[in-house]
Amino acid sequence: MSNNSLNNNQGKIHFMLKSTPPRVTFHQDMTEEERNIMLQHISYWTDKQNQGIALVFGPVLNPSAPHGLAIIEVENEEQVPKLVAVDPAVIAGIMTTEFYPMKAVIKK
């Protein structure tokens, strides 16, 4: 994959991650175990945000198709599946995550 020419961080590339919960009502009816896993999930991505990897992340409250969204900035495409694979919600099987390259325009 080529570097993003619009990116102000030379050598960095961006991806959009979409995480899908196990059911449409998940944000309303999580079990205590699911809630604990989601707290770990939030902590994981907060740590990635503090490292400058996750630029933004959070739930998208679409009533018919709620999901999580993250925009990440990485050195190379190989990092992305590794980041996803160790997400506590993915490990626990309560989120599936797909990702796509993104031509992000980042404010200077």
Side-chain angles (χ1 to χ4, degrees):
M1 170 175 278
S2 63
N3 287 345
N4 181 341
S5 62
L6 297 175
N7 185 359
N8 293 322
N9 254 341
Q10 292 297 329
K12 300 276 186 163
I13 55 177
H14 298 93
F15 285 82
M16 183 277 302
L17 282 61
K18 179 183 178 187
S19 296
T20 305
R23 57 192 176 275
V24 173
T25 58
F26 183 70
H27 69 287
Q28 298 167 331
D29 63 8
M30 279 183 249
T31 65
E32 185 175 336
E33 180 181 358
E34 289 170 332
R35 188 171 310 282
N36 289 334
I37 292 166
M38 290 307 294
L39 289 173
Q40 294 172 37
H41 165 78
I42 293 165
S43 178
Y44 173 77
W45 286 107
T46 299
D47 181 57
K48 298 305 169 209
Q49 188 174 53
N50 291 336
Q51 293 175 32
I53 295 169
L55 303 180
V56 63
F57 71 94
V60 176
L61 304 177
N62 177 342
S64 62
H67 59 277
L69 178 75
I71 306 300
I72 64 170
E73 183 176 78
V74 294
E75 299 286 337
N76 59 66
E77 187 171 358
E78 291 75 30
Q79 286 178 271
V80 182
K82 292 175 184 176
L83 287 165
V84 169
V86 295
D87 178 336
V90 171
I91 291 170
I94 62 172
M95 287 280 180
T96 57
T97 301
E98 54 190 288
F99 55 89
Y100 303 96
M102 181 178 180
K103 295 286 189 182
V105 177
I106 305 295
K107 182 179 177 182
K108 289 184 180 184

